Amino acid sequence: MNRVFRIGPIRPPSEADSLLLQVTNGCTWNKCKFCQLYKHTKFKAYSADSIKADIDNMVYYADRVDIYSKGDGSWDIDGLNKELAYLPDEDERQCFYMIASWLIGGGENVFLQDGNTTALSSGRLSDVLIYLRQAFPSIKRITSYGRAENLARVTAEEFAELKEAGLDRIHSGFESGSDEVLKIINKGVTAEQEIKAGRNVKAGGIELSVYFMPGVGGRELTEKNALGTARVINEINPDFLRIRTFAAKRGTGLYEDFVDGRFTLCSDDEKVLEIRRLIEEAKGIDTMLVSDHIINLLQDVEGSLKFDKEKMFRIIDDYLSMEEGEKRLYQAARRMARLSRPEDLKCLDSTSRDKLKRLAASTPDPYKWEVKMNELISRYI
Ligand code: SF4
């Protein structure tokens, strides 16, 4: 009999090295107009027994992997590779590989999948968390996604129980703190629910990581997107605010709105200005702003919203003061994963520079250029 465990498709970039434990499948809401992650997946919450069976199978693979530990922190990688190649089934190979790479990396972090784990009752989730921690005493951090609407219904006391059971951090896609924006993207959540959710999570002693989408309100609501989000963040003081630049992806409702002229894409500069405005308006909080996704134009705009504002303003203002032609070269090169920061432009060889110049010259119309950049960014989501 094959011994396998479920592995879902999605996790935050910050959980790239984490062990993935699927406790739910899909998303309870599945209606955000920018998202198609679980479009064809019906939401399912697994029973505690079913999740524990997956944990047992993880332990089974961990025991097989452990044979190749040399006991001094190093591993017999050749032996591991031979055992991996010997497994006849692709699913088993995937499970063995995940457990082996996780243990080689220290076996410390776990991410509970999928889109809304906190839809599980606190009792069931606590039961699973305790079982998981007992199975793998090396675990240092367990994190999960949670929708603000669900989180707002969990009390601070219940979050404290989940913390006690072993949940350390919740990621929540707020995307915006403006009610107008939340409505047009059909997030199914209000700014007040976000505030209540965030405060409860933090009051329960769990770290909170929320996501902000510059540009998701379109050109019409660009200022409201920044100001509304700043207001919500100021009320909560989350541990992390992660930037996820918006792109209208084909197949989503917002893409249809854009094609039909009901939604105007923000330019890259407008999205950068939203981030600048949000940083300006962040007051009395020490949240860490994080830019940990390739879709973000300026990856170095990161830091404490208490101590690093000037540094972040400098990076933004240096970009905004670039000559328009150079900006275009950088935007395209960044979206082709060729450059990480504007100053890298000087390292571009002349052939690449000429190619990018031809691309920029082929689309003189500024809005058509934004549409082209939108297509490039969309490939990453
Ligand atoms: S809540 Fe998250 S996963 Fe669910 S539809 Fe919205 S963005 Fe997608």
Side-chain angles (χ1 to χ4, degrees):
M1 189 187 74
N2 288 358
R3 295 202 58 167
V4 293
F5 51 86
R6 294 174 288 258
I7 303 174
I10 310 295
R11 45 112 189 112
S14 54
E15 304 293 339
D17 299 324
S18 299
L19 176 65
L20 306 178
L21 174 66
Q22 195 166 31
V23 306
T24 61
N25 189 14
C27 166
T28 45
W29 176 246
N30 227 356
K31 293 180 200 157
C32 297
K33 284 182 76 176
F34 58 88
C35 173
Q36 55 177 12
L37 287 179
Y38 303 108
K39 207 172 171 188
H40 304 292
T41 308
K42 194 166 178 293
F43 180 77
K44 181 171 169 44
Y46 295 109
S47 68
D49 284 347
S50 165
I51 302 164
K52 286 177 184 175
D54 269 6
I55 296 171
D56 291 343
N57 283 340
M58 288 172 167
V59 171
Y60 162 78
Y61 283 104
D63 289 343
R64 285 180 72 162
V65 168
D66 196 48
I67 295 166
Y68 300 96
S69 164
K70 293 182 178 170
D72 59 357
S74 65
W75 295 81
D76 172 7
I77 301 294
D78 285 345
L80 278 167
N81 281 333
K82 274 189 200 139
E83 172 126 10
L84 181 65
Y86 173 75
L87 288 168
D89 179 82
E90 176 56 32
D91 289 340
E92 284 184 293
R93 279 198 293 276
Q94 225 188 336
C95 292
F96 183 91
Y97 182 81
M98 172 170 274
I99 293 292
S101 22
W102 181 62
L103 289 175
I104 290 169
E108 294 183 351
N109 300 330
V110 181
F111 179 71
L112 308 182
Q113 297 175 305
D114 265 334
N116 188 17
T117 301
T118 48
L120 243 61
S121 71
S122 303
R124 198 188 321 176
L125 200 48
S126 291
D127 187 19
V128 166
L129 287 161
I130 292 165
Y131 194 82
L132 178 62
R133 288 221 177 238
Q134 282 169 351
F136 293 105
S138 64
I139 292 174
K140 294 214 170 113
R141 189 185 78 199
I142 302 178
T143 67
S144 176
Y145 275 135
R147 253 177 73 71
E149 173 236 355
N150 263 98
L151 299 176
R153 284 195 256 118
V154 181
T155 63
E157 293 70 32
E158 286 169 319
F159 280 123
E161 279 167 29
L162 287 171
K163 171 70 186 167
E164 178 69 28
L167 185 62
D168 298 296
R169 181 181 298 169
I170 290 177
H171 296 268
S172 191
F174 282 13
E175 334 304 359
S176 175
S178 152
D179 279 328
E180 275 181 78
V181 175
L182 290 167
K183 196 164 174 211
I184 67 154
I185 68 176
N186 200 29
K187 189 74 201 173
V189 172
T190 64
E192 289 317 303
Q193 281 174 308
E194 290 178 344
I195 292 169
K196 188 172 177 208
R199 285 180 171 165
N200 285 356
V201 170
K202 291 218 59 176
I206 293 179
E207 281 186 339
L208 180 65
S209 171
V210 300
Y211 293 76
F212 165 53
M213 271 193 178
V216 77
R219 194 164 276 173
E220 296 78 4
L221 297 177
T222 183
E223 177 148 14
K224 288 184 173 165
N225 196 29
L227 295 183
T229 307
R231 184 183 82 84
V232 165
I233 298 307
N234 286 342
E235 293 285 336
I236 301 172
N237 192 15
D239 299 276
F240 303 96
L241 176 61
R242 296 179 195 273
I243 300 170
R244 290 287 178 274
T245 303
F246 168 72
K249 192 171 176 68
R250 278 172 199 270
T252 64
L254 277 185
Y255 187 83
E256 280 171 30
D257 287 349
F258 147 66
V259 170
D260 294 343
R262 293 187 296 271
F263 181 90
T264 316
L265 296 174
C266 281
S267 67
D268 262 321
D269 285 13
E270 283 163 332
K271 293 178 203 168
V272 166
L273 280 167
E274 278 188 24
I275 298 170
R276 195 186 197 291
R277 195 71 202 274
L278 185 143
I279 298 171
E280 264 169 22
E281 295 298 320
K283 297 197 173 110
I285 57 173
D286 57 6
T287 302
M288 286 299 295
L289 187 71
V290 181
S291 178
D292 58 353
H293 203 293
I294 181 120
I295 54 177
N296 298 332
L297 187 67
L298 302 174
Q299 69 171 29
D300 291 339
V301 177
E302 288 199 309
S304 161
L305 287 174
K306 186 172 186 183
F307 300 112
D308 299 322
K309 283 187 171 193
E310 290 310 318
K311 179 200 90 173
M312 294 189 278
F313 287 150
R314 246 191 332 271
I315 295 167
I316 289 174
D317 294 343
D318 284 351
Y319 160 77
L320 290 171
S321 65
M322 283 166 70
E323 189 268 319
E324 286 307 314
E326 287 293 290
K327 266 191 204 164
R328 279 194 171 202
L329 296 195
Y330 175 64
Q331 289 162 0
R334 171 76 178 149
R335 269 60 205 256
M336 292 171 185
R338 305 271 290 278
L339 299 181
S340 301
R341 44 187 64 80
E343 53 268 36
D344 295 343
L345 269 174
K346 56 181 178 299
C347 308
L348 265 186
D349 59 78
S350 57
T351 314
S352 305
R353 180 172 263 275
D354 288 346
K355 260 192 205 160
L356 288 168
K357 273 187 174 168
R358 280 199 296 279
L359 178 76
S362 71
T363 316
D365 180 81
Y367 193 62
K368 286 189 179 149
W369 176 255
E370 298 311 334
V371 174
K372 192 168 259 185
M373 290 304 101
N374 181 72
E375 288 295 321
L376 287 179
I377 305 171
S378 295
R379 293 183 312 178
Y380 298 109
I381 51 177

